[in-house]
Amino acid sequence: MTLAVLIIGLLVLRALGALGVRRFATWAASGAHALAAMLVMTASAHFVPAGVTVMPTHADLVAMVPPFVPAPDAIVYATGVLELLGATGLVVTRTRRAAGLSLVVLFLLLLPANVYAAVADVPFHGAPASPLWQRIPEQVLYIGVALAAALSTPARRPTADTRAATAAA
């Protein structure tokens, strides 16, 4: 489902760009917004109580945390917050570069949980665990989209006004 949200979102936003919506004029900008939409969806599961049956829950994500990671409950809440912050950062052009690079790091840190869940056959939302051959390429795709969004956004260089304001302070 997350992959579908990313790909369909990317195609719809890029089509809007082709129709003249300047915010989505490039694949990288459209990808940043599509990844943000996907992250809002995935982050929501981090906060869903166990009784909910229409989507993955906090308990599903806690089960994915490898045993060597301390405080799995807190880690799941923290990664949900980080995903929401990353999504917000991706849609704000000024923060897109930092958000994209930070998300690359987050996705790399989440990789052991995906590997553990696949290898330990941890069910997800009542369904069998998705296989490792599927999880790794998906994670690589998310890293690629975050990296493309980050690298397509120029690094902010101090202007003469900001240099003068910094010097005066």
Side-chain angles (χ1 to χ4, degrees), residues 5 13 19-20 25 37-38 44 51 67 70 85 90 96 106 108-109 113 116 125 129 131 137 140 149 151 158 165:
V5 169
L13 294 173
L19 292 172
M38 185 202 84
S44 65
L85 289 172
L90 286 173
R96 185 171 299 149
L106 179 63
L108 289 171
L109 291 173
Y116 169 75
H125 190 52
V140 169
L151 297 180

Side-chain angles (χ1 to χ4, degrees), residues 1 14 30 52 61 64-65 70 101 106 127 129 149 165:
M1 177 64 136
R14 190 59 197 103
S30 298
V52 175
L61 296 172
M64 289 178 58
V65 177
L101 293 174
L106 179 63

